[in-house]
Amino acid sequence: MKFINEWKQFLKEENFIKDFPLEMDEDGNVILYHVSSTANITEFRPAIAAANAQNYTTRDYVTWDRPRVFFFTKRGQQDTGIGQIPGQSFYKVKVSPDKLYPVAQDPAQLSARQQVQEYMAEHIPEFNEKYEKAQKCDSANIEYNEWHICSKVEDSNGLAWYEKRFAGKRFLIDDPKFHSEKPNVYELVARLAEERYGAIGFIYPQESGDPDTMIAVIWRPIEASQLEDNFY
């Protein structure tokens, strides 16, 4: 327990959504809503929700397969595809705003190519071997005529690139050899948002960037309470 508490102290809690038009309770928590055909839910568990995902939810798993629970941010909100969500059980959850990361705006630049490079260097040994060579490159003082890697040219912005004679250069993370091993961008941002800021979910515009209709997804278990009246 001591280790966990010390680890939490390193988290940089930050409210990235303080200017979003969200419903808040008296304690400053964001109120989120969920419509379900299952009665008497007291806690939403993402793994269970993913295993029982409905057709209108499974389409969201095509781009990112991490189990998560979907929430509306305002009463009466509808799905853009099917309209009102089927179900007669209406729930709300409360979550601190610093636990929701705005993935579309990505204010901390967690999806930046430098972050992708860092992830690949940490998790892909062959990539890391090439990246370490790039870190040692001295092309500013040595004229290379052979294939090489470098991260110290002025326009690299910290990204390693590789070059083959007569074939030009490209960034190492764009090497087709590593294409299948690139991280899913949503998974990468989720992991970094949780590690660095303690986030447990994303919040993003439901359609066309409209901040008045937001969707939230939460990938950690969260306590739920039933609404006393209808959602729609």
Side-chain angles (χ1 to χ4, degrees), residues 112-190:
R113 291 164 69 79
Q114 289 82 358
Q115 303 289 356
V116 174
Q117 176 177 265
E118 182 178 333
Y119 174 92
M120 295 175 72
E122 181 179 350
H123 294 88
I124 307 171
E126 187 177 357
F127 180 92
N128 186 57
E129 181 181 353
K130 293 181 179 294
Y131 176 70
E132 288 182 349
K133 289 182 180 178
Q135 292 294 85
K136 298 175 182 178
C137 176
D138 192 21
S139 61
N141 300 312
I142 301 174
E143 183 177 354
Y144 282 86
N145 293 315
E146 301 292 337
W147 179 92
H148 72 287
I149 313 169
C150 180
S151 63
K152 298 180 180 178
V153 292
E154 292 183 0
D155 61 345
S156 71
N157 197 25
L159 292 170
W161 56 268
Y162 71 96
E163 181 175 17
K164 290 185 178 180
R165 194 175 184 185
F166 307 123
K169 68 178 182 180
R170 68 175 65 184
F171 289 119
L172 185 58
I173 61 173
D174 294 328
D175 186 342
K177 184 175 185 177
F178 300 112
H179 178 74
S180 64
E181 299 185 81
K182 268 189 174 182
N184 177 285
V185 65
Y186 296 105
E187 181 62 27
L188 175 64
V189 174

Side-chain angles (χ1 to χ4, degrees), residues 17 22-24 29-34 44 69-75 91-95 100 202-203 214-218 222 225 227 231:
I17 61 173
L22 300 169
E23 184 179 347
M24 315 286 284
N29 296 306
V30 178
I31 299 177
L32 304 175
Y33 299 97
H34 184 88
F44 286 113
V69 181
F70 294 78
F71 296 91
F72 290 127
T73 58
K74 59 195 307 183
R75 281 178 175 266
Y91 301 94
K92 68 178 179 180
V93 302
K94 298 180 179 181
V95 57
L100 295 173
F202 286 154
I203 189 167
M214 308 288 286
I215 292 292
V217 297
I218 293 180
I222 188 168
S225 60
L227 291 179
F231 177 74

